[in-house]
Amino acid sequence: MVDPITTRRFLFRCLFLGLCALIIFVQMLPLSTVPGGIPGPDLLFCLTAVWIMRRPRWAPVGLIVLVHLVADILFLRPIGLWPAIALVGFEYLRGKAAGSVEISPPLETGMAAAVFAALVAANAMFQFVFGIAQPSLGVLLMHVIVTVMAYPVVIALSTYVFRVRRAKPTDMDGSGIAI
C-alpha cells in the first residue's frame, strides 16, 4: 500500500506540472498581436516561488528545471540560461522558507520581489556579456513590477483554490522540512 503522504505529494507535483503547462500554453496563445505595451507577469516564477515557500517538497528541483527548460525552448529564449539563474533564486527561497513556519504575505512578497529583481538583473547581465539581444531597461523594470503585482494574486489562488498552505509544526519531519 502506498503511504498517503507520498500519494498526496505526488498528486500535488502533478498539479504543479499541470498548472505550469497551462501557464505556458496560455502565454503562447496569440492574444495580442500589437507590439509593445506592458509586459505580462512571469507567472511561472510566481507559481514556483509560492509553492516553494509553502511546501518545498511539492516542487522538486528536477521538476522546476524541466518546466523552465521547456518554457525556454517554447518561448525561444537562450536555452538553460533562465533555469540556471532561477534555480539559484528558488533554492535561496527554499532555504529561507525551510527555517520558518510562518512568513507574512507582505514579507513573502518582498522576498520574492527582491529575488526576482536580482534574477532579472543577472539574466540581463549574462545576456549583455554574451551579446544576446535583450529588452530595454524600462521593459525589464516594468516586467519586474508587473510580476511583483501578480505575486499576491498567485498566493491567494494557491492558498484558497489549490489548498497549498504552509506546513503546520505537525507537518514537519525531523529536519524541520514540511512533508
Side-chain angles (χ1 to χ4, degrees), residues 39-133:
D42 191 343
L43 294 176
L44 281 178
F45 174 84
C46 292
L47 182 71
T48 306
V50 167
W51 282 51
I52 281 178
M53 296 288 282
R54 286 172 170 29
R55 295 291 184 133
R57 290 196 178 170
W58 290 357
V61 172
L63 192 59
I64 292 169
V65 170
L66 175 74
V67 164
H68 284 73
L69 272 174
V70 168
D72 274 358
I73 292 168
L74 293 175
F75 297 144
L76 302 175
R77 298 186 295 215
I79 297 175
L81 179 60
W82 179 251
I85 293 171
L87 187 60
V88 173
F90 290 139
E91 289 305 307
Y92 174 78
L93 290 175
R94 188 186 309 262
K96 288 293 184 186
S100 64
V101 174
E102 190 62 36
I103 299 174
S104 66
L107 179 61
E108 179 182 343
T109 302
M111 284 175 42
V115 167
F116 186 68
L119 296 179
V120 168
N123 190 29
M125 182 191 67
F126 278 114
Q127 287 182 350
F128 176 75
V129 167
F130 291 113
I132 300 170

Side-chain angles (χ1 to χ4, degrees), residues 8 12 15 51 54-55 58 155-166:
R8 181 174 167 91
F12 273 96
L15 177 63
W51 282 51
R54 286 172 170 29
R55 295 291 184 133
W58 290 357
I155 288 175
L157 285 174
S158 293
T159 302
Y160 298 114
V161 175
F162 302 115
R163 306 282 189 226
V164 180
R165 293 192 169 86
R166 285 199 192 284

Side-chain angles (χ1 to χ4, degrees), residues 3-15 51 56-60 173 177-179:
D3 182 30
I5 294 173
T6 305
T7 303
R8 181 174 167 91
R9 189 180 300 156
F10 176 74
L11 290 175
F12 273 96
R13 285 177 181 176
C14 290
L15 177 63
W51 282 51
R57 290 196 178 170
W58 290 357
D173 64 3
I177 297 176
I179 53 176

Side-chain angles (χ1 to χ4, degrees), residues 1-36:
M1 194 80 195
V2 177
D3 182 30
I5 294 173
T6 305
T7 303
R8 181 174 167 91
R9 189 180 300 156
F10 176 74
L11 290 175
F12 273 96
R13 285 177 181 176
C14 290
L15 177 63
F16 176 76
L17 187 61
L19 289 173
C20 288
L22 179 68
I23 289 169
I24 291 171
F25 175 74
V26 169
Q27 287 181 343
M28 288 182 62
L29 291 175
L31 298 177
S32 175
T33 57
V34 179

